Amino acid sequence: MKKKLNILRHIIIAYAVLLAIWQLAASFSGVSSALFPSPGRVLLAFRELSVSGLSGSSSDATLSVHIRDSLLRFAAGYLLSAAAGITAGLLLGWFPRAFAYVNPVIQLLRPIAPVAWLPFLVLLVGIGDLPAVTIIFIAGFFPILLSTASAVQNIDPVYLRVAGNFGLSQRRTLTRIVFPAAFPQIAGSLHLALGTCWIFLVSGEMVGSQTGLGFLIMDAKNCLRADALLAAIITIGVIGFLLDQLIGLLERSFISVRGLGPQNSKRRS
């Protein structure tokens, strides 16, 4: 409990110092408040966005609507990438000969920035939610797939010998032995992919979407509203931070329940 209070105190102090520096910079920089708004003006922009939406915008959506639509797109793309990446990674890691043929194609596609596919996706499926969801899916799929395949290939052979001694089928070995043993590394890839997917959500929503935080950033720019722009940026950062904490909590809880990871090793010892 004391450790948590110390962490909370550090967070409060850090943000208080940041706000003070921001206020001083806005007051004495000599830059127009329209270009470099103070924390107070950004707070008023938050209020405007939350109550009535951005003034002069092409959309009457409020901040809560933008957040809701962004989270729905993010959840769809991220969960699809996790399911597809883990499944493909388990299979390719379990069948190394197949992975040897597929890996060159993966290494060719993996370095391509997900947003590079955006013009093609818009031409192919039009504007709307699908391009943004696809961008999020691409951003998370390859890291999860490669990390899962690597985790499977590096499993301690003792686990596989135990499965063979009990006469488990390949399917049961994958689901009961291989997946739990590889999960700590898979969980790490899910954690990293979450941040990547959230970053590319904004890029995906900047083209074609009529709601969402990425759309709100472009809308605030077009309306020359730096205060609303900063409000949208802060919202993205706060939600990204909360999502990161949530996935970390779920990761630790799952590893604890399954008896995996260093925490449980210490507890048993």
Side-chain angles (χ1 to χ4, degrees), residues 158-201:
V158 171
Y159 292 118
L160 303 181
R161 287 198 292 268
V162 170
N165 291 337
F166 281 95
L168 296 181
S169 65
Q170 287 195 5
R171 182 181 65 83
R172 289 176 67 85
T173 300
L174 274 173
T175 57
R176 300 294 181 86
I177 304 295
V178 174
F179 177 73
F183 182 78
Q185 187 171 338
I186 295 173
S189 70
L190 291 173
H191 203 147
L192 292 174
L194 180 139
T196 305
C197 288
W198 184 248
I199 290 171
F200 282 103
L201 162 76

mmCIF file of all heavy atoms in Angstrom, residues 158-201:
data_model
loop_
_atom_site.group_PDB
_atom_site.id
_atom_site.type_symbol
_atom_site.label_atom_id
_atom_site.label_comp_id
_atom_site.label_asym_id
_atom_site.label_seq_id
_atom_site.Cartn_x
_atom_site.Cartn_y
_atom_site.Cartn_z
ATOM 1 N N VAL A 158 11.656 -30.408 -22.448
ATOM 2 C CA VAL A 158 11.099 -31.235 -21.375
ATOM 3 C C VAL A 158 9.573 -31.234 -21.420
ATOM 4 O O VAL A 158 8.932 -32.270 -21.213
ATOM 5 C CB VAL A 158 11.590 -30.724 -20.000
ATOM 6 C CG1 VAL A 158 10.854 -31.427 -18.863
ATOM 7 C CG2 VAL A 158 13.085 -30.940 -19.866
ATOM 8 N N TYR A 159 8.985 -30.075 -21.714
ATOM 9 C CA TYR A 159 7.527 -29.993 -21.805
ATOM 10 C C TYR A 159 6.987 -30.928 -22.884
ATOM 11 O O TYR A 159 5.966 -31.604 -22.693
ATOM 12 C CB TYR A 159 7.100 -28.558 -22.111
ATOM 13 C CG TYR A 159 7.340 -27.571 -20.997
ATOM 14 C CD1 TYR A 159 8.202 -26.498 -21.179
ATOM 15 C CD2 TYR A 159 6.704 -27.702 -19.778
ATOM 16 C CE1 TYR A 159 8.430 -25.583 -20.154
ATOM 17 C CE2 TYR A 159 6.920 -26.787 -18.755
ATOM 18 C CZ TYR A 159 7.791 -25.738 -18.949
ATOM 19 O OH TYR A 159 8.004 -24.843 -17.945
ATOM 20 N N LEU A 160 7.661 -30.958 -24.015
ATOM 21 C CA LEU A 160 7.201 -31.784 -25.126
ATOM 22 C C LEU A 160 7.377 -33.269 -24.818
ATOM 23 O O LEU A 160 6.558 -34.098 -25.214
ATOM 24 C CB LEU A 160 7.954 -31.407 -26.407
ATOM 25 C CG LEU A 160 7.857 -29.929 -26.817
ATOM 26 C CD1 LEU A 160 8.612 -29.676 -28.105
ATOM 27 C CD2 LEU A 160 6.400 -29.508 -26.962
ATOM 28 N N ARG A 161 8.452 -33.605 -24.100
ATOM 29 C CA ARG A 161 8.648 -35.007 -23.721
ATOM 30 C C ARG A 161 7.565 -35.467 -22.740
ATOM 31 O O ARG A 161 7.067 -36.594 -22.820
ATOM 32 C CB ARG A 161 10.035 -35.198 -23.110
ATOM 33 C CG ARG A 161 11.161 -35.139 -24.139
ATOM 34 C CD ARG A 161 12.431 -35.763 -23.592
ATOM 35 N NE ARG A 161 12.993 -34.973 -22.502
ATOM 36 C CZ ARG A 161 13.900 -34.022 -22.676
ATOM 37 N NH1 ARG A 161 14.336 -33.729 -23.903
ATOM 38 N NH2 ARG A 161 14.369 -33.353 -21.633
ATOM 39 N N VAL A 162 7.186 -34.585 -21.846
ATOM 40 C CA VAL A 162 6.098 -34.909 -20.915
ATOM 41 C C VAL A 162 4.798 -35.137 -21.672
ATOM 42 O O VAL A 162 4.054 -36.078 -21.394
ATOM 43 C CB VAL A 162 5.935 -33.780 -19.871
ATOM 44 C CG1 VAL A 162 4.661 -33.984 -19.048
ATOM 45 C CG2 VAL A 162 7.148 -33.717 -18.960
ATOM 46 N N ALA A 163 4.524 -34.261 -22.647
ATOM 47 C CA ALA A 163 3.308 -34.424 -23.452
ATOM 48 C C ALA A 163 3.331 -35.741 -24.201
ATOM 49 O O ALA A 163 2.310 -36.440 -24.309
ATOM 50 C CB ALA A 163 3.177 -33.256 -24.433
ATOM 51 N N GLY A 164 4.514 -36.109 -24.744
ATOM 52 C CA GLY A 164 4.633 -37.385 -25.448
ATOM 53 C C GLY A 164 4.434 -38.562 -24.520
ATOM 54 O O GLY A 164 3.798 -39.563 -24.895
ATOM 55 N N ASN A 165 4.944 -38.470 -23.311
ATOM 56 C CA ASN A 165 4.790 -39.568 -22.355
ATOM 57 C C ASN A 165 3.329 -39.797 -21.978
ATOM 58 O O ASN A 165 2.919 -40.939 -21.711
ATOM 59 C CB ASN A 165 5.603 -39.279 -21.085
ATOM 60 C CG ASN A 165 7.096 -39.347 -21.329
ATOM 61 O OD1 ASN A 165 7.551 -39.996 -22.278
ATOM 62 N ND2 ASN A 165 7.871 -38.670 -20.493
ATOM 63 N N PHE A 166 2.553 -38.716 -21.953
ATOM 64 C CA PHE A 166 1.134 -38.843 -21.635
ATOM 65 C C PHE A 166 0.278 -39.123 -22.871
ATOM 66 O O PHE A 166 -0.942 -39.255 -22.759
ATOM 67 C CB PHE A 166 0.629 -37.578 -20.944
ATOM 68 C CG PHE A 166 0.988 -37.503 -19.492
ATOM 69 C CD1 PHE A 166 2.114 -36.821 -19.081
ATOM 70 C CD2 PHE A 166 0.205 -38.135 -18.534
ATOM 71 C CE1 PHE A 166 2.460 -36.752 -17.736
ATOM 72 C CE2 PHE A 166 0.539 -38.077 -17.195
ATOM 73 C CZ PHE A 166 1.682 -37.385 -16.791
ATOM 74 N N GLY A 167 0.912 -39.215 -24.045
ATOM 75 C CA GLY A 167 0.186 -39.544 -25.264
ATOM 76 C C GLY A 167 -0.776 -38.481 -25.732
ATOM 77 O O GLY A 167 -1.814 -38.786 -26.334
ATOM 78 N N LEU A 168 -0.453 -37.204 -25.471
ATOM 79 C CA LEU A 168 -1.345 -36.127 -25.903
ATOM 80 C C LEU A 168 -1.271 -35.941 -27.409
ATOM 81 O O LEU A 168 -0.202 -36.071 -28.013
ATOM 82 C CB LEU A 168 -0.956 -34.815 -25.212
ATOM 83 C CG LEU A 168 -1.101 -34.757 -23.685
ATOM 84 C CD1 LEU A 168 -0.701 -33.384 -23.180
ATOM 85 C CD2 LEU A 168 -2.517 -35.084 -23.247
ATOM 86 N N SER A 169 -2.405 -35.602 -28.015
ATOM 87 C CA SER A 169 -2.434 -35.298 -29.442
ATOM 88 C C SER A 169 -1.760 -33.955 -29.693
ATOM 89 O O SER A 169 -1.503 -33.185 -28.752
ATOM 90 C CB SER A 169 -3.877 -35.255 -29.940
ATOM 91 O OG SER A 169 -4.583 -34.189 -29.327
ATOM 92 N N GLN A 170 -1.484 -33.663 -30.967
ATOM 93 C CA GLN A 170 -0.843 -32.381 -31.294
ATOM 94 C C GLN A 170 -1.725 -31.203 -30.886
ATOM 95 O O GLN A 170 -1.223 -30.193 -30.386
ATOM 96 C CB GLN A 170 -0.531 -32.315 -32.787
ATOM 97 C CG GLN A 170 0.618 -33.195 -33.224
ATOM 98 C CD GLN A 170 1.130 -32.824 -34.608
ATOM 99 O OE1 GLN A 170 0.691 -31.852 -35.208
ATOM 100 N NE2 GLN A 170 2.079 -33.626 -35.103
ATOM 101 N N ARG A 171 -3.037 -31.351 -31.088
ATOM 102 C CA ARG A 171 -3.936 -30.246 -30.737
ATOM 103 C C ARG A 171 -3.919 -29.997 -29.234
ATOM 104 O O ARG A 171 -3.828 -28.862 -28.781
ATOM 105 C CB ARG A 171 -5.366 -30.562 -31.198
ATOM 106 C CG ARG A 171 -6.369 -29.442 -30.915
ATOM 107 C CD ARG A 171 -7.759 -29.831 -31.376
ATOM 108 N NE ARG A 171 -8.272 -30.955 -30.620
ATOM 109 C CZ ARG A 171 -8.858 -30.837 -29.414
ATOM 110 N NH1 ARG A 171 -8.974 -29.654 -28.845
ATOM 111 N NH2 ARG A 171 -9.324 -31.898 -28.795
ATOM 112 N N ARG A 172 -3.993 -31.062 -28.443
ATOM 113 C CA ARG A 172 -3.992 -30.902 -26.994
ATOM 114 C C ARG A 172 -2.619 -30.439 -26.493
ATOM 115 O O ARG A 172 -2.537 -29.694 -25.522
ATOM 116 C CB ARG A 172 -4.395 -32.221 -26.322
ATOM 117 C CG ARG A 172 -5.868 -32.563 -26.509
ATOM 118 C CD ARG A 172 -6.189 -33.918 -25.904
ATOM 119 N NE ARG A 172 -6.059 -33.910 -24.453
ATOM 120 C CZ ARG A 172 -7.020 -33.530 -23.611
ATOM 121 N NH1 ARG A 172 -8.189 -33.110 -24.101
ATOM 122 N NH2 ARG A 172 -6.837 -33.569 -22.312
ATOM 123 N N THR A 173 -1.574 -30.882 -27.170
ATOM 124 C CA THR A 173 -0.235 -30.420 -26.787
ATOM 125 C C THR A 173 -0.101 -28.925 -27.012
ATOM 126 O O THR A 173 0.458 -28.192 -26.176
ATOM 127 C CB THR A 173 0.839 -31.174 -27.590
ATOM 128 O OG1 THR A 173 0.736 -32.577 -27.329
ATOM 129 C CG2 THR A 173 2.228 -30.713 -27.198
ATOM 130 N N LEU A 174 -0.629 -28.460 -28.143
ATOM 131 C CA LEU A 174 -0.559 -27.028 -28.439
ATOM 132 C C LEU A 174 -1.361 -26.210 -27.435
ATOM 133 O O LEU A 174 -0.902 -25.163 -26.966
ATOM 134 C CB LEU A 174 -1.076 -26.759 -29.854
ATOM 135 C CG LEU A 174 -0.082 -26.898 -31.009
ATOM 136 C CD1 LEU A 174 -0.794 -26.777 -32.348
ATOM 137 C CD2 LEU A 174 1.016 -25.846 -30.894
ATOM 138 N N THR A 175 -2.562 -26.676 -27.101
ATOM 139 C CA THR A 175 -3.457 -25.889 -26.254
ATOM 140 C C THR A 175 -3.153 -26.050 -24.764
ATOM 141 O O THR A 175 -3.301 -25.103 -23.989
ATOM 142 C CB THR A 175 -4.920 -26.270 -26.520
ATOM 143 O OG1 THR A 175 -5.092 -27.686 -26.308
ATOM 144 C CG2 THR A 175 -5.315 -25.925 -27.949
ATOM 145 N N ARG A 176 -2.710 -27.238 -24.345
ATOM 146 C CA ARG A 176 -2.506 -27.510 -22.920
ATOM 147 C C ARG A 176 -1.062 -27.348 -22.460
ATOM 148 O O ARG A 176 -0.814 -27.106 -21.275
ATOM 149 C CB ARG A 176 -2.975 -28.937 -22.594
ATOM 150 C CG ARG A 176 -4.440 -29.214 -22.881
ATOM 151 C CD ARG A 176 -5.348 -28.403 -21.971
ATOM 152 N NE ARG A 176 -6.753 -28.679 -22.207
ATOM 153 C CZ ARG A 176 -7.426 -29.671 -21.627
ATOM 154 N NH1 ARG A 176 -6.801 -30.483 -20.794
ATOM 155 N NH2 ARG A 176 -8.701 -29.856 -21.881
ATOM 156 N N ILE A 177 -0.110 -27.499 -23.374
ATOM 157 C CA ILE A 177 1.307 -27.450 -23.000
ATOM 158 C C ILE A 177 2.018 -26.258 -23.622
ATOM 159 O O ILE A 177 2.599 -25.419 -22.927
ATOM 160 C CB ILE A 177 2.035 -28.758 -23.401
ATOM 161 C CG1 ILE A 177 1.341 -29.983 -22.779
ATOM 162 C CG2 ILE A 177 3.495 -28.694 -23.006
ATOM 163 C CD1 ILE A 177 1.412 -30.028 -21.274
ATOM 164 N N VAL A 178 1.953 -26.185 -24.959
ATOM 165 C CA VAL A 178 2.748 -25.186 -25.676
ATOM 166 C C VAL A 178 2.261 -23.768 -25.388
ATOM 167 O O VAL A 178 3.070 -22.879 -25.055
ATOM 168 C CB VAL A 178 2.723 -25.478 -27.193
ATOM 169 C CG1 VAL A 178 3.421 -24.359 -27.967
ATOM 170 C CG2 VAL A 178 3.387 -26.813 -27.488
ATOM 171 N N PHE A 179 0.967 -23.538 -25.497
ATOM 172 C CA PHE A 179 0.451 -22.178 -25.300
ATOM 173 C C PHE A 179 0.712 -21.655 -23.885
ATOM 174 O O PHE A 179 1.215 -20.531 -23.723
ATOM 175 C CB PHE A 179 -1.037 -22.112 -25.626
ATOM 176 C CG PHE A 179 -1.651 -20.764 -25.374
ATOM 177 C CD1 PHE A 179 -1.385 -19.697 -26.214
ATOM 178 C CD2 PHE A 179 -2.486 -20.552 -24.284
ATOM 179 C CE1 PHE A 179 -1.937 -18.444 -25.981
ATOM 180 C CE2 PHE A 179 -3.033 -19.310 -24.036
ATOM 181 C CZ PHE A 179 -2.760 -18.256 -24.892
ATOM 182 N N PRO A 180 0.399 -22.420 -22.829
ATOM 183 C CA PRO A 180 0.717 -21.899 -21.485
ATOM 184 C C PRO A 180 2.209 -21.656 -21.269
ATOM 185 O O PRO A 180 2.595 -20.676 -20.625
ATOM 186 C CB PRO A 180 0.192 -23.001 -20.547
ATOM 187 C CG PRO A 180 -0.846 -23.708 -21.336
ATOM 188 C CD PRO A 180 -0.357 -23.689 -22.751
ATOM 189 N N ALA A 181 3.058 -22.546 -21.805
ATOM 190 C CA ALA A 181 4.498 -22.371 -21.618
ATOM 191 C C ALA A 181 5.013 -21.141 -22.351
ATOM 192 O O ALA A 181 5.940 -20.464 -21.888
ATOM 193 C CB ALA A 181 5.236 -23.620 -22.106
ATOM 194 N N ALA A 182 4.424 -20.836 -23.507
ATOM 195 C CA ALA A 182 4.875 -19.699 -24.308
ATOM 196 C C ALA A 182 4.171 -18.400 -23.930
ATOM 197 O O ALA A 182 4.563 -17.333 -24.416
ATOM 198 C CB ALA A 182 4.633 -19.984 -25.799
ATOM 199 N N PHE A 183 3.174 -18.479 -23.067
ATOM 200 C CA PHE A 183 2.333 -17.311 -22.836
ATOM 201 C C PHE A 183 3.077 -16.090 -22.290
ATOM 202 O O PHE A 183 2.762 -14.963 -22.688
ATOM 203 C CB PHE A 183 1.164 -17.639 -21.908
ATOM 204 C CG PHE A 183 0.257 -16.466 -21.695
ATOM 205 C CD1 PHE A 183 -0.662 -16.109 -22.682
ATOM 206 C CD2 PHE A 183 0.326 -15.681 -20.549
ATOM 207 C CE1 PHE A 183 -1.494 -15.013 -22.510
ATOM 208 C CE2 PHE A 183 -0.490 -14.583 -20.373
ATOM 209 C CZ PHE A 183 -1.402 -14.256 -21.356
ATOM 210 N N PRO A 184 4.034 -16.234 -21.356
ATOM 211 C CA PRO A 184 4.720 -15.015 -20.893
ATOM 212 C C PRO A 184 5.313 -14.193 -22.030
ATOM 213 O O PRO A 184 5.212 -12.962 -22.031
ATOM 214 C CB PRO A 184 5.804 -15.565 -19.965
ATOM 215 C CG PRO A 184 5.221 -16.830 -19.429
ATOM 216 C CD PRO A 184 4.453 -17.420 -20.580
ATOM 217 N N GLN A 185 5.928 -14.843 -23.026
ATOM 218 C CA GLN A 185 6.480 -14.103 -24.155
ATOM 219 C C GLN A 185 5.366 -13.578 -25.053
ATOM 220 O O GLN A 185 5.455 -12.468 -25.588
ATOM 221 C CB GLN A 185 7.432 -14.989 -24.960
ATOM 222 C CG GLN A 185 8.172 -14.241 -26.066
ATOM 223 C CD GLN A 185 9.266 -15.075 -26.705
ATOM 224 O OE1 GLN A 185 9.770 -16.032 -26.112
ATOM 225 N NE2 GLN A 185 9.627 -14.733 -27.927
ATOM 226 N N ILE A 186 4.308 -14.360 -25.221
ATOM 227 C CA ILE A 186 3.168 -13.905 -26.021
ATOM 228 C C ILE A 186 2.536 -12.678 -25.365
ATOM 229 O O ILE A 186 2.170 -11.708 -26.039
ATOM 230 C CB ILE A 186 2.133 -15.031 -26.180
ATOM 231 C CG1 ILE A 186 2.718 -16.195 -26.975
ATOM 232 C CG2 ILE A 186 0.863 -14.516 -26.857
ATOM 233 C CD1 ILE A 186 1.820 -17.423 -27.033
ATOM 234 N N ALA A 187 2.412 -12.713 -24.030
ATOM 235 C CA ALA A 187 1.821 -11.578 -23.309
ATOM 236 C C ALA A 187 2.649 -10.320 -23.512
ATOM 237 O O ALA A 187 2.103 -9.218 -23.659
ATOM 238 C CB ALA A 187 1.709 -11.914 -21.822
ATOM 239 N N GLY A 188 3.970 -10.473 -23.539
ATOM 240 C CA GLY A 188 4.823 -9.312 -23.797
ATOM 241 C C GLY A 188 4.567 -8.718 -25.170
ATOM 242 O O GLY A 188 4.533 -7.494 -25.337
ATOM 243 N N SER A 189 4.369 -9.583 -26.165
ATOM 244 C CA SER A 189 4.092 -9.091 -27.519
ATOM 245 C C SER A 189 2.726 -8.421 -27.588
ATOM 246 O O SER A 189 2.551 -7.422 -28.293
ATOM 247 C CB SER A 189 4.165 -10.236 -28.530
ATOM 248 O OG SER A 189 3.084 -11.144 -28.380
ATOM 249 N N LEU A 190 1.752 -8.940 -26.852
ATOM 250 C CA LEU A 190 0.431 -8.308 -26.812
ATOM 251 C C LEU A 190 0.518 -6.923 -26.185
ATOM 252 O O LEU A 190 -0.163 -5.986 -26.618
ATOM 253 C CB LEU A 190 -0.539 -9.181 -26.010
ATOM 254 C CG LEU A 190 -0.946 -10.511 -26.643
ATOM 255 C CD1 LEU A 190 -1.771 -11.333 -25.658
ATOM 256 C CD2 LEU A 190 -1.747 -10.284 -27.922
ATOM 257 N N HIS A 191 1.368 -6.796 -25.177
ATOM 258 C CA HIS A 191 1.557 -5.514 -24.505
ATOM 259 C C HIS A 191 2.167 -4.487 -25.466
ATOM 260 O O HIS A 191 1.698 -3.339 -25.573
ATOM 261 C CB HIS A 191 2.464 -5.721 -23.291
ATOM 262 C CG HIS A 191 2.304 -4.669 -22.249
ATOM 263 N ND1 HIS A 191 2.442 -4.908 -20.906
ATOM 264 C CD2 HIS A 191 2.027 -3.342 -22.343
ATOM 265 C CE1 HIS A 191 2.244 -3.792 -20.232
ATOM 266 N NE2 HIS A 191 2.008 -2.825 -21.080
ATOM 267 N N LEU A 192 3.205 -4.901 -26.178
ATOM 268 C CA LEU A 192 3.859 -3.990 -27.126
ATOM 269 C C LEU A 192 2.942 -3.669 -28.300
ATOM 270 O O LEU A 192 2.883 -2.527 -28.767
ATOM 271 C CB LEU A 192 5.158 -4.616 -27.623
ATOM 272 C CG LEU A 192 6.276 -4.764 -26.579
ATOM 273 C CD1 LEU A 192 7.450 -5.533 -27.175
ATOM 274 C CD2 LEU A 192 6.730 -3.404 -26.078
ATOM 275 N N ALA A 193 2.223 -4.681 -28.789
ATOM 276 C CA ALA A 193 1.341 -4.468 -29.934
ATOM 277 C C ALA A 193 0.201 -3.515 -29.597
ATOM 278 O O ALA A 193 -0.269 -2.777 -30.465
ATOM 279 C CB ALA A 193 0.770 -5.800 -30.422
ATOM 280 N N LEU A 194 -0.230 -3.520 -28.334
ATOM 281 C CA LEU A 194 -1.313 -2.613 -27.947
ATOM 282 C C LEU A 194 -0.908 -1.158 -28.177
ATOM 283 O O LEU A 194 -1.677 -0.368 -28.740
ATOM 284 C CB LEU A 194 -1.682 -2.843 -26.484
ATOM 285 C CG LEU A 194 -2.806 -1.959 -25.938
ATOM 286 C CD1 LEU A 194 -3.743 -2.771 -25.055
ATOM 287 C CD2 LEU A 194 -2.244 -0.796 -25.127
ATOM 288 N N GLY A 195 0.308 -0.800 -27.744
ATOM 289 C CA GLY A 195 0.778 0.571 -27.955
ATOM 290 C C GLY A 195 0.901 0.913 -29.425
ATOM 291 O O GLY A 195 0.517 2.007 -29.866
ATOM 292 N N THR A 196 1.425 -0.038 -30.218
ATOM 293 C CA THR A 196 1.568 0.199 -31.658
ATOM 294 C C THR A 196 0.210 0.379 -32.328
ATOM 295 O O THR A 196 0.016 1.275 -33.154
ATOM 296 C CB THR A 196 2.322 -0.974 -32.306
ATOM 297 O OG1 THR A 196 3.573 -1.157 -31.640
ATOM 298 C CG2 THR A 196 2.570 -0.713 -33.781
ATOM 299 N N CYS A 197 -0.742 -0.470 -31.953
ATOM 300 C CA CYS A 197 -2.083 -0.378 -32.550
ATOM 301 C C CYS A 197 -2.747 0.941 -32.192
ATOM 302 O O CYS A 197 -3.421 1.560 -33.029
ATOM 303 C CB CYS A 197 -2.943 -1.543 -32.070
ATOM 304 S SG CYS A 197 -2.494 -3.149 -32.757
ATOM 305 N N TRP A 198 -2.575 1.402 -30.942
ATOM 306 C CA TRP A 198 -3.196 2.663 -30.528
ATOM 307 C C TRP A 198 -2.596 3.835 -31.288
ATOM 308 O O TRP A 198 -3.292 4.781 -31.654
ATOM 309 C CB TRP A 198 -3.041 2.845 -29.029
ATOM 310 C CG TRP A 198 -3.729 4.059 -28.495
ATOM 311 C CD1 TRP A 198 -3.162 5.176 -27.972
ATOM 312 C CD2 TRP A 198 -5.142 4.292 -28.451
ATOM 313 N NE1 TRP A 198 -4.105 6.088 -27.591
ATOM 314 C CE2 TRP A 198 -5.339 5.575 -27.881
ATOM 315 C CE3 TRP A 198 -6.256 3.547 -28.839
ATOM 316 C CZ2 TRP A 198 -6.604 6.113 -27.686
ATOM 317 C CZ3 TRP A 198 -7.514 4.094 -28.657
ATOM 318 C CH2 TRP A 198 -7.691 5.353 -28.081
ATOM 319 N N ILE A 199 -1.286 3.778 -31.542
ATOM 320 C CA ILE A 199 -0.632 4.845 -32.308
ATOM 321 C C ILE A 199 -1.197 4.912 -33.724
ATOM 322 O O ILE A 199 -1.536 5.987 -34.235
ATOM 323 C CB ILE A 199 0.889 4.620 -32.339
ATOM 324 C CG1 ILE A 199 1.494 4.866 -30.958
ATOM 325 C CG2 ILE A 199 1.558 5.533 -33.373
ATOM 326 C CD1 ILE A 199 2.940 4.454 -30.841
ATOM 327 N N PHE A 200 -1.314 3.746 -34.374
ATOM 328 C CA PHE A 200 -1.763 3.740 -35.763
ATOM 329 C C PHE A 200 -3.269 3.905 -35.900
ATOM 330 O O PHE A 200 -3.757 4.167 -37.006
ATOM 331 C CB PHE A 200 -1.298 2.454 -36.460
ATOM 332 C CG PHE A 200 0.150 2.501 -36.859
ATOM 333 C CD1 PHE A 200 1.117 1.833 -36.136
ATOM 334 C CD2 PHE A 200 0.555 3.250 -37.958
ATOM 335 C CE1 PHE A 200 2.451 1.892 -36.490
ATOM 336 C CE2 PHE A 200 1.883 3.318 -38.323
ATOM 337 C CZ PHE A 200 2.840 2.641 -37.590
ATOM 338 N N LEU A 201 -4.008 3.769 -34.800
ATOM 339 C CA LEU A 201 -5.434 4.096 -34.842
ATOM 340 C C LEU A 201 -5.627 5.536 -35.284
ATOM 341 O O LEU A 201 -6.472 5.831 -36.133
ATOM 342 C CB LEU A 201 -6.046 3.887 -33.459
ATOM 343 C CG LEU A 201 -7.398 4.580 -33.223
ATOM 344 C CD1 LEU A 201 -8.506 3.815 -33.929
ATOM 345 C CD2 LEU A 201 -7.714 4.711 -31.743
#
